[in-house]
Amino acid sequence: MGLRAELPVVGVVAVGGALGASARYGAGLLLPTPEGAFPWTTFTVNVVGCALLGGLMVLLTERPTEWSTAPPHPLLRPFLGTGFCGGFTTFSTYALDTQRLLDAGDPTRGLLYLGGTLVAALAAVRAGVTGARAVRARAGRGRVGRA
């Protein structure tokens, strides 16, 4: 596939990334982290983004045939997954915040943030996957009775 054919994908990833990064920036404005404090905003953004991505992947890749035989639009996954969720979450800020906590002479908080984010992010992905599958199953049961 040539670069020209990939341009729509690059475009939707760019738009989704801009929206996700803007949402993360807005979260930082609404809930700023004081200097030296635990970075709850970045922690929350990363955990929420992981839950969204987990649920999204179920809804886009595990579609039951009773919903539709048509696959989702091919640009939806790159827009929402790579673009929005990728722009919303931030590994670089997570790493920088960890380094700042460790440099501030508070290794306990630094290591708790380092490990806690990883554990919470993995749990959020699992929760998103489980929640999306539950919603899908409930919606599928509702469709069985309809003719």
Side-chain angles (χ1 to χ4, degrees):
M1 185 176 279
L3 178 60
R4 176 170 276 209
E6 291 293 325
L7 285 178
V9 177
V10 172
V12 298
V13 168
V15 172
L19 292 171
S22 296
R24 175 168 40 96
Y25 186 75
L29 292 175
L30 288 172
L31 304 167
T33 300
E35 185 71 27
F38 191 86
W40 284 110
T41 303
T42 302
F43 176 86
T44 303
V45 160
N46 283 332
V47 170
V48 168
C50 286
L52 287 173
L53 188 59
L56 175 69
M57 289 303 110
V58 167
L59 296 176
L60 292 178
T61 63
E62 299 179 13
R63 295 171 54 90
T65 55
E66 65 266 17
W67 280 18
S68 171
T69 55
H73 192 282
L75 296 178
L76 195 56
R77 184 175 172 174
F79 172 72
L80 293 172
T82 307
F84 184 81
C85 289
F88 186 62
T89 58
T90 173
F91 184 79
S92 57
T93 303
Y94 161 62
L96 181 64
D97 287 344
T98 300
Q99 183 63 44
R100 285 182 176 160
L101 289 171
L102 294 172
D103 284 350
D106 193 354
T108 302
R109 281 195 315 164
L111 293 174
L112 281 173
Y113 180 63
L114 179 68
T117 297
L118 179 61
V119 171
L122 289 171
V125 168
R126 171 54 64 194
V129 166
T130 303
R133 285 180 178 155
V135 167
R136 187 189 63 199
R138 178 175 287 182
R141 280 193 302 266
R143 292 176 183 263
V144 170
R146 297 181 193 154

